[in-house]
Amino acid sequence: MTGPHEPRGGSARDPQSGRPTLRDVAERAGVSAMTASRVLRDDPQVLPATRARVRAAAAALGYRPNEVARSLRLGRGAGLVGLVVTNLANPFYSRLALGVDSVVAEHGLKTVIGNTGQDPEAERDLTADLLARRVDGIIAVPAGADQRHLAAAAAGGVPVVLASRPPEGFAADCVLVDDFGGARDATARLLARGHRRIGFLGSPPAVHTGAERLRGYAAALARAGLGVDPRYVRRGQTEPDQATRAAAELLALPDPPTALFCSNNRNTIGAFRALRAAAPGGGAGIALAGFDDFELADALGLPLTLVAYDSDELGRAAGRLLADRLHVRSPGTAPGAARPQPPRQIVVPTSLVEYGT
């Protein structure tokens, strides 16, 4: 037998989550679901005694409103920011995510992270899923040059910010690293130390960062009166084991490079393993330089030049651009409304750090 404030006819708990529903709260408080909803929306016309009873019931049941469903009914976003990255195994993306989350959390938004595995089709599906969930905005590291799905999201009123790679075919805010300048400076450092045969290990050609870092490498060689020797270039490695094999190929050449420049931390780690495996035969004395600083770089036990930058700041800058577009800093502005201003581009500077010298 149920009392006047107990659920009648059994619980109406959500069958998927098991959490109490609005109907549970209403039945426990002895009111209609509409009245319970009005109380939880802070409707001032509900009698104080009724408000107190509904709130007590909600607290006793541990009820939390379904913000996604509520947002759909109100025509607003879900209080979520979608973050789309290409490789969560890369520590760079965890730092980027921390930077994004630290900013959007200040504005009451939560970050939902999706990994594409560098697959454009997976990126399109993930973007569609985020839009279906009515995210307030998207921060994306695109997997390739085909960004029509992101352009469509922006055209549909969802603010889009790109990180690490610029927009292609549409206008959007973006945050980039000085990929060209960092690669040029690291290669120039190797040239200044007397190296003339410098190998290059890089990302797939379609990746903007890899293309810009190859361009910086080539520019440094050209300034020294040298051209890019295709025998010393390996592109397409996304994981350390692939880079290890590519570096081993270079070291096995009849006239191997005396130095290697790696376009990201995954390639640098793979190249280090190849050098260790080759020493003291083919790998001894090979200089190593790479893009992206990483943990334990100082413990590798060999001279290493790295291009460093603040990856957290890359994420924070992207978060600030998105928050600005959402007007979350301006009280009373409808969520999702974008500022009437042209797209902005922020470039995060780089510096060189030396280990083991």
Side-chain angles (χ1 to χ4, degrees), residues 72 122 187 197 225:
L72 289 171
T187 306
R197 299 195 308 275

Side-chain angles (χ1 to χ4, degrees), residues 4-6 8 24-32 50 53-54 57:
H5 294 166
E6 294 297 321
R8 296 181 297 273
D24 284 326
V25 174
E27 290 185 347
R28 186 180 183 94
V31 300
S32 69
T50 302
R53 201 161 69 244
V54 170

Side-chain angles (χ1 to χ4, degrees), residues 20-292:
T21 66
L22 182 65
R23 182 181 160 194
D24 284 326
V25 174
E27 290 185 347
R28 186 180 183 94
V31 300
S32 69
M34 179 65 73
T35 297
S37 176
R38 289 172 60 198
V39 170
L40 297 174
R41 294 201 313 269
D42 294 321
D43 186 335
Q45 296 183 349
V46 180
L47 293 174
T50 302
R51 285 204 304 271
R53 201 161 69 244
V54 170
R55 293 194 181 282
L61 292 171
Y63 172 76
R64 294 181 62 186
N66 185 331
E67 293 297 340
V68 173
R70 184 168 181 264
S71 296
L72 289 171
R73 289 193 298 271
L74 297 175
R76 295 205 297 261
L80 302 174
V81 169
L83 175 60
V84 180
V85 301
T86 59
N87 185 2
L88 278 174
N90 189 335
F92 162 77
Y93 292 108
S94 63
R95 302 307 314 180
L96 171 74
L98 288 171
V100 168
D101 195 63
S102 69
V103 171
V104 301
E106 294 175 358
H107 305 291
L109 299 168
K110 298 184 184 298
T111 309
V112 178
I113 304 175
N115 183 60
T116 66
Q118 205 75 261
D119 181 354
E121 185 63 34
E123 180 179 302
R124 285 189 286 273
D125 291 344
L126 179 56
T127 301
D129 184 60
L130 290 171
L131 293 174
R133 295 172 187 272
R134 298 183 70 88
V135 293
D136 291 79
I138 294 175
I139 296 173
V141 181
D146 185 356
Q147 300 172 8
R148 286 174 293 180
H149 50 292
L150 296 173
V158 176
V160 174
V161 176
L162 300 192
S164 189
R165 298 162 197 181
E168 299 278 353
F170 75 111
D173 295 329
C174 67
V175 185
L176 306 175
V177 175
D178 184 10
D179 298 300
F180 173 84
R184 179 198 58 208
D185 293 346
T187 306
R189 180 70 58 87
L190 294 173
L191 289 163
R193 290 175 177 161
H195 297 283
R196 291 298 179 267
R197 299 195 308 275
I198 302 174
F200 179 89
L201 298 176
S203 306
V207 176
H208 168 80
T209 51
E212 282 296 287
R213 292 169 191 181
L214 176 62
R215 195 168 70 87
Y217 160 84
L221 292 177
R223 186 177 293 179
L226 302 172
V228 174
D229 188 333
R231 293 180 303 158
Y232 298 143
V233 174
R234 297 291 185 277
R235 304 178 72 185
Q237 305 82 232
T238 59
E239 293 299 333
D241 59 340
Q242 297 170 331
T244 298
R245 290 192 293 271
E249 289 176 8
L250 295 180
L251 297 177
L253 290 173
D255 199 14
T258 62
L260 297 175
F261 172 70
C262 306
S263 75
N264 61 26
N265 54 15
R266 311 302 278 171
N267 276 278
T268 302
I269 292 169
F272 166 76
R273 290 173 179 168
L275 292 177
R276 282 293 189 193
I286 303 294
L288 186 60
F291 214 107
D292 303 328

